Amino acid sequence: QVQLVESGGGVVQPGGSLRLSCAASGFTFSSSGMHWARQAPGKGLEWVALISYDGRIKYYADSVKGRFIIFRDNSKNTLYLQMSSLRPEDTAVYYCAKDHWSYTHYGPLGYWGQGTLVTVSS
Amino acid sequence: QSVLTQPPSVSAAPGQMVTISCSGSSSNIEKHYVAWYQQLPGTAPKLLIYEDNKRPSGIPDRFSGSKSGTSATLGITGLQTGDEADYYCGTWDNSLSVVFGGGTKLTVL
Protein backbone atom coordinates (compact mmCIF):
# COMPACT_ATOMS: atom_id res chain seq x y z
CA GLN A 1 0.00 0.00 0.00
CA VAL A 2 1.03 3.62 -0.44
CA GLN A 3 3.30 4.86 2.32
CA LEU A 4 4.70 8.35 2.74
CA VAL A 5 6.98 8.98 5.69
CA GLU A 6 8.17 12.50 6.42
CA SER A 7 11.25 13.32 8.47
CA GLY A 8 13.54 16.24 9.21
CA GLY A 9 11.26 18.41 11.31
CA GLY A 10 12.41 20.09 14.47
CA VAL A 11 13.02 23.41 16.18
CA VAL A 12 14.91 26.08 14.25
CA GLN A 13 15.62 29.74 14.93
CA PRO A 14 14.11 32.49 12.77
CA GLY A 15 16.24 32.97 9.69
CA GLY A 16 17.48 29.40 9.84
CA SER A 17 17.21 26.53 7.40
CA LEU A 18 15.83 23.01 7.46
CA ARG A 19 15.44 20.20 4.95
CA LEU A 20 12.45 17.89 5.07
CA SER A 21 12.40 14.47 3.45
CA CYS A 22 9.54 12.21 2.42
CA ALA A 23 10.29 8.54 1.79
CA ALA A 24 7.78 6.97 -0.58
CA SER A 25 6.88 3.32 -1.08
CA GLY A 26 4.05 1.17 -2.37
CA PHE A 27 3.64 2.97 -5.70
CA THR A 28 5.68 4.06 -8.72
CA PHE A 29 7.23 7.23 -7.32
CA SER A 30 8.82 8.24 -10.62
CA SER A 31 5.35 8.43 -12.22
CA SER A 32 3.75 10.57 -9.51
CA GLY A 33 3.45 14.30 -9.04
CA MET A 34 4.11 15.20 -5.42
CA HIS A 35 3.10 17.99 -3.08
CA TRP A 36 4.00 19.56 0.23
CA ALA A 37 1.21 21.05 2.34
CA ARG A 38 1.27 22.40 5.88
CA GLN A 39 -1.01 23.03 8.80
CA ALA A 40 -0.20 25.59 11.48
CA PRO A 41 -1.28 24.63 15.02
CA GLY A 42 -5.06 24.82 15.26
CA LYS A 43 -5.36 26.16 11.71
CA GLY A 44 -6.45 24.87 8.32
CA LEU A 45 -4.53 23.32 5.45
CA GLU A 46 -2.20 25.39 3.30
CA TRP A 47 -0.67 24.07 0.10
CA VAL A 48 3.06 24.80 -0.10
CA ALA A 49 4.57 23.44 -3.31
CA LEU A 50 4.33 20.80 -6.01
CA ILE A 51 6.72 19.02 -8.33
CA SER A 52 5.93 17.08 -11.47
CA TYR A 53 6.74 13.40 -11.78
CA ASP A 54 9.98 14.16 -13.65
CA GLY A 55 10.99 17.16 -11.57
CA ARG A 56 10.74 19.62 -14.48
CA ILE A 57 7.73 21.56 -13.20
CA LYS A 58 7.69 23.21 -9.78
CA TYR A 59 5.11 25.60 -8.38
CA TYR A 60 5.10 27.36 -5.01
CA ALA A 61 2.66 29.20 -2.79
CA ASP A 62 3.34 32.93 -2.68
CA SER A 63 4.03 32.66 1.05
CA VAL A 64 7.13 30.50 0.47
CA LYS A 65 8.29 31.54 -3.00
CA GLY A 66 11.97 32.41 -3.02
CA ARG A 67 12.56 30.75 0.37
CA PHE A 68 11.58 27.10 -0.14
CA ILE A 69 12.74 24.68 -2.82
CA ILE A 70 11.02 21.42 -3.68
CA PHE A 71 13.01 18.68 -5.35
CA ARG A 72 13.02 14.93 -5.72
CA ASP A 73 15.34 11.98 -6.24
CA ASN A 74 13.48 9.33 -8.20
CA SER A 75 16.36 6.88 -7.75
CA LYS A 76 15.79 7.05 -3.99
CA ASN A 77 11.98 7.38 -4.05
CA THR A 78 12.33 10.49 -1.94
CA LEU A 79 10.80 13.96 -2.00
CA TYR A 80 12.46 16.93 -0.35
CA LEU A 81 11.64 20.42 0.82
CA GLN A 82 14.57 22.75 1.45
CA MET A 83 13.39 25.58 3.66
CA SER A 84 15.47 28.71 4.29
CA SER A 85 14.93 32.16 5.80
CA LEU A 86 12.41 30.54 8.10
CA ARG A 87 9.89 32.69 9.93
CA PRO A 88 7.75 32.04 13.01
CA GLU A 89 4.70 31.89 10.72
CA ASP A 90 6.25 28.85 9.00
CA THR A 91 5.62 26.86 12.18
CA ALA A 92 3.39 23.97 11.15
CA VAL A 93 3.03 20.27 10.56
CA TYR A 94 4.35 19.63 7.06
CA TYR A 95 2.73 16.88 5.03
CA CYS A 96 3.93 15.33 1.81
CA ALA A 97 1.23 14.04 -0.48
CA LYS A 98 0.96 12.08 -3.69
CA ASP A 99 -1.11 13.35 -6.59
CA HIS A 100 -4.11 11.10 -7.07
CA TRP A 101 -3.33 10.33 -10.69
CA SER A 102 -0.10 9.31 -12.35
CA TYR A 103 1.76 11.81 -14.53
CA THR A 104 -0.27 14.77 -13.26
CA HIS A 105 0.34 17.37 -10.59
CA TYR A 106 -2.89 19.37 -10.43
CA GLY A 107 -4.36 17.34 -7.59
CA PRO A 108 -6.30 16.05 -5.90
CA LEU A 109 -3.88 14.98 -3.20
CA GLY A 110 -4.66 11.30 -3.06
CA TYR A 111 -2.44 10.05 -0.24
CA TRP A 112 -0.89 11.94 2.65
CA GLY A 113 1.92 11.16 5.02
CA GLN A 114 1.55 11.58 8.77
CA GLY A 115 3.47 14.83 8.80
CA THR A 116 6.51 16.28 10.53
CA LEU A 117 6.41 19.27 12.87
CA VAL A 118 8.55 22.31 12.17
CA THR A 119 8.79 24.93 14.90
CA VAL A 120 10.45 28.27 14.17
CA SER A 121 11.25 29.98 17.42
CA SER A 122 14.11 31.67 19.22
CA GLN B 1 -7.75 34.23 4.42
CA SER B 2 -8.44 31.11 2.34
CA VAL B 3 -9.16 31.31 -1.38
CA LEU B 4 -12.15 28.99 -0.96
CA THR B 5 -14.83 29.84 1.61
CA GLN B 6 -16.37 27.25 3.93
CA PRO B 7 -18.54 27.64 7.01
CA PRO B 8 -16.41 27.26 10.17
CA SER B 9 -18.71 24.68 11.69
CA VAL B 10 -21.81 22.57 11.12
CA SER B 11 -23.63 20.18 13.40
CA ALA B 12 -26.40 17.61 13.24
CA ALA B 13 -27.70 14.65 15.18
CA PRO B 14 -26.71 11.02 14.54
CA GLY B 15 -28.58 9.55 11.61
CA GLN B 16 -29.33 12.96 10.13
CA MET B 17 -27.91 14.59 7.02
CA VAL B 18 -25.59 17.56 6.75
CA THR B 19 -24.18 19.61 3.91
CA ILE B 20 -20.98 21.65 3.79
CA SER B 21 -20.60 24.40 1.22
CA CYS B 22 -17.45 25.59 -0.53
CA SER B 23 -17.47 28.84 -2.47
CA GLY B 24 -14.80 29.85 -4.95
CA SER B 25 -14.49 31.74 -8.21
CA SER B 26 -14.16 31.46 -11.97
CA SER B 27 -10.41 30.85 -11.60
CA ASN B 28 -10.78 27.75 -9.48
CA ILE B 29 -14.02 25.86 -8.77
CA GLU B 30 -15.82 26.90 -11.93
CA LYS B 31 -12.99 25.65 -14.17
CA HIS B 32 -11.52 22.74 -12.23
CA TYR B 33 -12.54 19.61 -10.39
CA VAL B 34 -13.23 19.89 -6.67
CA ALA B 35 -11.97 17.46 -4.04
CA TRP B 36 -12.99 17.02 -0.41
CA TYR B 37 -10.75 15.85 2.41
CA GLN B 38 -11.60 14.48 5.83
CA GLN B 39 -9.25 15.08 8.74
CA LEU B 40 -10.11 13.08 11.84
CA PRO B 41 -8.72 14.48 15.13
CA GLY B 42 -4.97 14.04 15.37
CA THR B 43 -4.58 12.44 11.95
CA ALA B 44 -3.51 13.39 8.44
CA PRO B 45 -6.11 14.45 5.87
CA LYS B 46 -7.67 11.76 3.71
CA LEU B 47 -9.16 12.13 0.24
CA LEU B 48 -12.93 11.74 0.49
CA ILE B 49 -14.28 12.97 -2.87
CA TYR B 50 -12.49 13.74 -6.13
CA GLU B 51 -13.57 15.08 -9.53
CA ASP B 52 -16.54 16.83 -7.88
CA ASN B 53 -18.49 13.69 -7.01
CA LYS B 54 -16.40 10.52 -7.20
CA ARG B 55 -15.47 8.45 -4.15
CA PRO B 56 -12.14 6.62 -3.77
CA SER B 57 -12.47 2.95 -3.00
CA GLY B 58 -13.39 2.37 0.62
CA ILE B 59 -15.34 5.60 1.06
CA PRO B 60 -18.99 4.78 1.86
CA ASP B 61 -21.75 6.14 -0.33
CA ARG B 62 -23.03 8.16 2.63
CA PHE B 63 -20.56 10.77 1.37
CA SER B 64 -21.41 12.65 -1.83
CA GLY B 65 -20.22 15.70 -3.71
CA SER B 66 -21.76 18.12 -6.15
CA LYS B 67 -20.81 21.31 -7.93
CA SER B 68 -22.61 24.18 -9.59
CA GLY B 69 -20.87 27.19 -11.04
CA THR B 70 -18.40 28.57 -8.52
CA SER B 71 -19.67 26.52 -5.56
CA ALA B 72 -19.39 22.95 -4.42
CA THR B 73 -21.15 20.96 -1.71
CA LEU B 74 -20.26 17.94 0.38
CA GLY B 75 -23.17 15.89 1.67
CA ILE B 76 -23.08 13.33 4.43
CA THR B 77 -26.11 11.18 5.21
CA GLY B 78 -26.74 8.79 8.10
CA LEU B 79 -24.37 10.73 10.35
CA GLN B 80 -22.24 8.73 12.75
CA THR B 81 -20.17 9.90 15.70
CA GLY B 82 -17.13 8.67 13.81
CA ASP B 83 -17.79 11.31 11.15
CA GLU B 84 -16.78 14.07 13.57
CA ALA B 85 -13.85 15.67 11.81
CA ASP B 86 -12.64 18.70 9.93
CA TYR B 87 -13.60 18.76 6.26
CA TYR B 88 -11.73 20.71 3.59
CA CYS B 89 -12.53 21.45 -0.01
CA GLY B 90 -9.69 21.86 -2.47
CA THR B 91 -9.11 22.45 -6.14
CA TRP B 92 -6.65 23.74 -8.72
CA ASP B 93 -6.46 27.48 -9.32
CA ASN B 94 -5.44 29.26 -12.52
CA SER B 95 -2.71 30.99 -10.50
CA LEU B 96 -0.87 27.66 -10.78
CA SER B 97 -1.54 26.53 -7.25
CA VAL B 98 -3.63 24.12 -5.24
CA VAL B 99 -6.11 25.99 -3.05
CA PHE B 100 -8.02 24.84 0.02
CA GLY B 101 -10.99 26.08 1.95
CA GLY B 102 -10.54 27.16 5.54
CA GLY B 103 -12.11 23.94 6.80
CA THR B 104 -15.41 23.06 8.44
CA LYS B 105 -15.65 21.35 11.80
CA LEU B 106 -18.45 18.78 11.87
CA THR B 107 -20.01 18.03 15.25
CA VAL B 108 -22.36 15.08 15.57
CA LEU B 109 -24.55 16.01 18.51
Side-chain angles (χ1 to χ4, degrees):
Chain A
Q1 72 278 22
V2 172
Q3 281 205 328
L4 298 166
V5 180
E6 302 93 337
S7 61
V11 180
V12 60
Q13 292 189 336
S17 299
L18 208 58
R19 177 181 291 185
L20 306 183
S21 300
C22 172
S25 61
F27 65 100
T28 306
F29 182 73
S30 59
S31 302
S32 296
M34 299 294 295
H35 301 257
W36 286 100
R38 67 185 181 183
Q39 187 169 34
K43 302 296 184 182
L45 298 174
E46 179 187 15
W47 174 80
V48 172
L50 70 82
I51 186 168
S52 61
Y53 69 97
D54 57 1
R56 295 184 185 185
I57 296 171
K58 303 176 184 182
Y59 297 139
Y60 298 91
D62 287 344
S63 57
V64 306
K65 205 171 290 183
R67 301 188 299 123
F68 290 11
I69 298 174
I70 186 172
F71 61 104
R72 64 192 296 161
D73 186 336
N74 284 349
S75 68
K76 295 182 178 178
N77 288 353
T78 303
L79 175 72
Y80 302 95
L81 185 69
Q82 179 68 46
M83 304 185 295
S84 59
S85 302
L86 282 162
R87 306 165 180 167
E89 55 264 36
D90 294 318
T91 294
V93 173
Y94 284 73
Y95 296 101
C96 75
K98 171 193 175 305
D99 212 81
H100 186 58
W101 305 111
S102 295
Y103 301 111
T104 68
H105 48 265
Y106 305 107
L109 281 58
Y111 295 91
W112 300 61
Q114 286 307 300
T116 186
L117 177 62
V118 172
T119 302
V120 184
S121 173
S122 53
Chain B
Q1 198 82 344
S2 301
V3 173
L4 306 180
T5 301
Q6 298 180 234
S9 63
V10 296
S11 62
Q16 297 299 304
M17 183 190 78
V18 71
T19 60
I20 298 173
S21 61
C22 175
S23 177
S25 70
S26 58
S27 68
N28 42 64
I29 288 181
E30 187 172 59
K31 299 284 196 314
H32 304 286
Y33 286 126
V34 174
W36 289 92
Y37 304 88
Q38 178 192 58
Q39 187 175 31
L40 296 168
T43 70
K46 179 175 80 171
L47 181 64
L48 199 62
I49 297 287
Y50 67 96
E51 290 184 358
D52 299 342
N53 55 22
K54 295 181 173 61
R55 286 174 285 106
S57 60
I59 302 299
D61 59 6
R62 300 188 299 105
F63 295 91
S64 64
S66 64
K67 187 176 84 172
S68 178
T70 60
S71 294
T73 302
L74 173 69
I76 311 173
T77 59
L79 276 172
Q80 303 174 1
T81 55
D83 296 332
E84 284 204 337
D86 293 323
Y87 293 85
Y88 296 88
C89 57
T91 186
W92 182 253
D93 189 277
N94 290 344
S95 63
L96 304 180
S97 63
V98 172
V99 291
F100 291 111
T104 299
K105 182 178 183 61
L106 169 63
T107 301
V108 181
L109 302 167

